[in-house]
């Protein structure tokens, strides 16, 4: 290929600070002390770690160089499927950092934080409008935390009707957190196999649903990037047996302003603000997984929630049926702020457009690469498309080899070996924020790598060769992680 964004120039080696330090180096100048020196109490200070002596420039260069070893959406395309690693406008960071909002103490009385409460109240309403589910809690700190909150709401609902249920249906295309959250809440996950075309059949749900089953957790679009077109009939089958429908809304990036969850028959749904609504994510947080519910289930939501009384805002604690608190204070407020800013700066029409573009970009990649890699399901995709390494088997090339070689071309590899239902899966989610030129360059890189796999498979198996580190022994890394440098 003609050009690729990957290169190795000017990426520095970097020793540990302990190896770099020299006795007597100083990072700052402190004025001479004008009071008598007193020995510190050894019992208080203890032996303490032996910190290295470093100058300011040592420290600045050390951390700047380390930051250059990182890769993020601000560096380049990050096409991880199931994650929505999209570029987030910096204006949302600016708003989230506004001191009057960001520095407000969570225990201040309502009258001193009317602005914060107004933002929480309005954000609840926006998320309610986006999902069609009007009862909203902002407390959960991540998607999985939202799922657990949803399961607690399921349990509270069934308990309020004296209905004893201990199972929950979970399709094989669900995110791994779904069965985990259900199990944490005491439910036994019952796996459902998706149909030949990658989506769930109504029959499989009808056959599995009974009066001991609390409901179903369904991800839509599912983790294959496919829309569960039977969602409404599935919801009817679950409701007919007294169950509830949980919608995992982490893939909302594909359907903002397009799908109304309530009309699909969904009763409870979480959103991942750190995927869809403008918080950079990866590396573990912070996040926010607000939960939206039907009017009927609103009484079970965690406390407190922001409410409006006249023209004032307050935190409402008086909800006797509530499942209680699921997070200290009000969730991760800075993430809520970014989502609020994102929704307000985009507006309803542009949120919809973002989803349309996210789907268009994935569909474009699917069409451009379907002659190069085998498509797992040859049908219209939503925000991500899934290939397998089936056609590479005759060259003894695997998904891992392709992913590692893409690093040499300057691309963070897509998600690999997930979802589990596709053997050797390669799952690509470009998001709406990549332009056509960049997507074309990525497509060319994938095609070049796959071609190399045919002409020089040995070289591909050695990849990456241009990266800072060569291929790691992943078994060794997992079994004997070296965490001390
Ligand atoms: C990311 C994701 C989750 C989990 O969200 P976390 O914030 O990582 O806990 C759940 N379901 C789906 C479909 C996801 O993509």
């Amino acid at each position: 290929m003609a050009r690729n964004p990957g290169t190795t120039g000017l990426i520095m080696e970097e020793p540990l600070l302990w190896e770099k330090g020299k006795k007597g180096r100083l990072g700052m100048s402190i004025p001479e002390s004008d009071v008598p020196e007193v020995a510190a109490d050894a019992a208080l200070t203890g032996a303490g770690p032996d910190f290295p002596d470093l100058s300011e420039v040592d420290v600045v260069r050390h951390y700047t160089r380390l930051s250059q070893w990182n890769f993020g959406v601000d560096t380049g395309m990050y096409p991880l499927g199931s994650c929505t690693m999209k570029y987030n406008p910096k204006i949302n960071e600016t708003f989230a950092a506004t001191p009057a909002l960001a520095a407000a103490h969570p225990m201040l009385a309502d009258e001193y934080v009317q602005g914060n409460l107004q933002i929480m109240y309005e954000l609840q309403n926006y998320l309610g409008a986006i999902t069609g589910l009007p009862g909203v809690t902002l407390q959960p700190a991540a998607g999985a935390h939202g799922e657990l909150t949803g399961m607690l709401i399921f349990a509270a609902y069934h308990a309020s009707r004296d209905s004893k249920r201990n199972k929950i249906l979970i399709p094989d295309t669900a995110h791994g957190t779904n069965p985990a959250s259900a199990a944490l809440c005491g439910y036994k996950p019952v796996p459902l196999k998706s149909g030949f075309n990658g989506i769930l059949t109504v029959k499989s749900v009808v056959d599995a649903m009974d009066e001991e089953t609390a409901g179903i957790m369904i991800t839509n679009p599912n983790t294959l990037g496919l829309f569960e077109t039977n969602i409404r009939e599935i919801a009817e089958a679950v409701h007919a047996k007294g169950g509830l429908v949980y919608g995992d809304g982490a893939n909302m990036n594909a359907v903002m302003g397009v799908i109304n969850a309530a009309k699909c028959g969904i009763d409870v749904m979480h959103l991942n603000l750190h995927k869809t609504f403008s918080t950079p994510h990866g590396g573990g947080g912070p996040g926010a997984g607000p939960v939206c519910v039907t009017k009927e289930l609103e009484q079970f939501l965690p406390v407190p929630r922001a409410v409006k009384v006249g023209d004032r805002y307050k935190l409402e604690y008086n909800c006797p049926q509530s499942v209680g608190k699921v997070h200290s204070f009000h969730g991760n407020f800075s993430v809520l702020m970014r989502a609020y800013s994102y929704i307000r700066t985009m507006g309803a029409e542009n949120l919809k457009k973002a989803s349309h573009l996210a789907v268009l970009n994935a569909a474009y990649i699917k069409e451009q690469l379907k002659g190069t890699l085998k498509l797992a399901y040859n049908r219209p995709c939503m925000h991500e498309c899934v290939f397998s390494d089936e056609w590479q088997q005759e060259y003894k090339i695997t998904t891992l080899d392709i992913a590692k070689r893409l690093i040499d071309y300057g691309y963070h590899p897509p998600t690999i070996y997930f979802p589990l239902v596709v053997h050797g899966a390669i799952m690509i989610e470009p998001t709406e924020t990549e332009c056509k030129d960049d997507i074309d360059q990525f497509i060319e890189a994938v095609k070049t790598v796959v071609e190399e796999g045919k002409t020089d498979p040995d070289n591909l198996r050695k990849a990456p060769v241009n990266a800072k580190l060569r291929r790691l022994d992943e078994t060794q890394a997992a079994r004997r992680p070296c965490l001390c440098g």
Side-chain angles (χ1 to χ4, degrees), residues 73 80-89 141-144 147 175-178 219 221 223 248-254 256 270-282 285-290 335 338-339 342 354 358 383-384 415 418 429 431-433:
V73 275
L80 281 189
S82 194
C83 278
T84 313
M85 302 295 286
K86 64 186 188 178
Y87 176 81
N88 295 299
E147 293 164 22
H175 196 269
T177 48
N178 288 190
T219 306
T223 54
D248 178 329
N251 293 336
M252 197 68 185
N253 210 50
M256 278 183 292
H270 82 264
L271 299 172
N272 274 31
L273 298 190
H274 49 291
K275 288 182 182 168
T276 314
F277 298 94
S278 190
T279 285
H281 93 282
V335 182
R338 289 185 185 94
Y342 180 69
H383 57 302
E384 57 199 3
T415 294
F418 182 85
E429 178 179 1
T431 81
E432 74 279 12
T433 52

Side-chain angles (χ1 to χ4, degrees), residues 17-19 21-25 45 47-54 63:
L17 284 179
W18 272 267
E19 293 161 18
K22 275 243 164 71
K23 267 278 160 270
R25 280 198 192 161
T45 55
D50 179 21
F51 284 115
D53 291 5
L54 296 151
Y63 287 108

